Amino acid sequence: MLTVIHLPTHHQTFSGKELTKLIAKLVSLDSNWIPSEPGYSLYIRPTLIGTQAALGVHPANDALLFVISSPVGPYYKTGFKPVALEADPSLVRAWPGGVGQYKLGANYGPGIRVQMEAAKRGYQQNLWLFGEEHWLTEVGTMNLFVALKRDDGSTELVTPPLNGTILPGVTRDSILGLARDHVSKKAPIEGLPDNLVVSEREINMGEIIKASEKGSLIEMFGAGTAAIVSPVDRVGFKGRDIQIPAGEEGAGPIAKAMLKSITDIQLGRVDHPWSVLVEDLL
Ligand SMILES: *Cc1c(COP(=O)(O)O)cnc(C)c1O
């Protein structure tokens, strides 16, 4: 699907509501490509690129908005496979004043070599740290969640705040929304602790190591559209490995509950304002 947009002012943008309608049309045209087996899906990727026929560094007057759709296979065909992360303080994904909070093609390139290098040492992904205090930011191209047991017996679900170095992923936002609706009892989720506390706050490697030593580090996972959740069972940092419980099935209770809640919404097993029927939009 292709839509050329002419931008008379640099601030004009394309209506999100109209784009949703166009995506509905695309999905209905491509409906034969929608896989029916559980776990498979039609991946939809909107993209916006400048197309002005000129060389030069300046805002584009013409842009092309297009949406790619493709059937994709399941991330977890044979159950969860928790990943090991390498946290290398010499690598930086995003920095204050940079473009880390935007979804750019450039988010992906810099991670590829880093991931290949980590793989040589037995880690599947990179845990991006920031600064001398080793703040945790993201994992590969996913947002990060950590669960900690607190002294009062409650479970704290932590994700780093949107401070400009974090990509505001829709999966991150969905998990926060679902967790908060569970906490407020608006929509309790089976499998989540009753006394859950949801925190958008900074967390650093010092706190992770302390929690691991105390036995209060109970879960860690990445969150992004493709896998939804990606459980972590090990973090390599400064020459040692921190083990993280990943449950008997390879995922902790929070990751498991979130995967189920989100796929239930995606597959229309439950009614939810986030799911839109294609027929209703055509
Ligand atoms: C795409 C992406 C995410 C996840 O965003 P979703 O909208 O949940 O798919 C997280 N971090 C980075 C750097 C990304 O590029």
Side-chain angles (χ1 to χ4, degrees):
M1 181 193 81
L2 298 178
T3 307
V4 178
I5 316 169
H6 299 283
L7 304 164
T9 76
H10 298 317
H11 303 293
Q12 190 153 329
T13 185
F14 195 82
S15 150
K17 224 171 118 199
E18 291 305 312
L19 180 61
T20 310
K21 280 194 220 162
L22 290 170
I23 291 174
K25 183 74 189 169
L26 173 70
V27 171
S28 88
L29 287 171
D30 276 354
S31 57
N32 286 337
W33 288 100
I34 302 173
S36 51
E37 297 92 313
Y40 291 73
S41 56
L42 188 74
Y43 192 93
I44 299 167
R45 163 67 67 189
T47 309
L48 180 64
I49 55 171
T51 51
Q52 197 175 344
L55 286 176
V57 180
H58 47 71
N61 287 322
D62 288 320
L64 180 68
L65 174 64
F66 61 99
V67 180
I68 297 168
S69 72
S70 168
V72 291
Y75 251 75
Y76 302 114
K77 211 185 287 182
T78 53
F80 285 104
K81 276 194 204 73
V83 295
L85 308 180
E86 186 172 52
D88 178 345
S90 71
L91 302 169
V92 186
R93 189 196 82 84
W95 47 89
V99 293
Q101 75 271 44
Y102 299 108
K103 192 81 180 164
L104 305 175
N107 290 0
Y108 294 91
I112 290 173
R113 176 154 171 209
V114 165
Q115 185 181 8
M116 282 172 63
E117 297 289 328
K120 286 185 198 157
R121 293 180 286 272
Y123 301 95
Q124 282 84 24
Q125 263 303 350
N126 183 47
L127 175 60
W128 297 104
L129 303 179
F130 180 78
E132 296 190 350
E133 304 287 319
H134 309 313
W135 300 107
L136 279 72
T137 64
E138 300 203 40
V139 27
T141 54
M142 299 179 100
N143 291 115
L144 175 76
F145 284 85
V146 179
L148 303 164
K149 198 87 197 157
R150 304 206 301 185
D151 291 341
D152 65 1
S154 61
T155 301
E156 186 188 18
L157 180 64
V158 181
T159 195
L162 302 180
N163 59 7
T165 65
I166 305 290
L167 192 294
V170 69
T171 316
R172 174 189 181 280
D173 195 50
S174 305
I175 289 173
L176 287 174
L178 291 168
R180 285 182 175 135
D181 283 353
H182 170 82
V183 171
S184 71
K185 305 218 162 37
K186 188 175 155 209
I189 294 173
E190 212 189 297
L192 284 192
D194 286 332
N195 45 2
L196 185 70
V197 177
V198 182
S199 299
E200 285 179 82
R201 68 165 176 91
E202 319 264 2
I203 183 165
N204 66 11
M205 283 308 296
E207 186 178 347
I208 295 286
I209 291 166
K210 258 195 221 135
S212 157
E213 286 165 354
K214 255 176 65 184
S216 60
L217 176 60
I218 52 178
E219 201 173 329
M220 185 184 284
F221 57 94
T225 298
I228 303 178
V229 293
S230 175
V232 175
D233 64 357
R234 187 160 61 94
V235 173
F237 177 64
K238 294 193 171 172
R240 56 177 273 204
D241 273 354
I242 301 157
Q243 304 293 336
I244 298 155
E248 276 169 25
E249 291 160 55
I254 300 179
K256 242 191 305 190
M258 287 303 170
L259 178 68
K260 181 172 184 307
S261 293
I262 292 176
T263 47
D264 280 353
I265 295 168
Q266 289 178 339
L267 297 175
R269 288 192 193 118
V270 293
D271 276 331
H272 197 279
W274 294 342
S275 72
V276 186
L277 278 184
V278 166
E279 297 95 278
D280 293 347
L281 288 167
L282 296 178

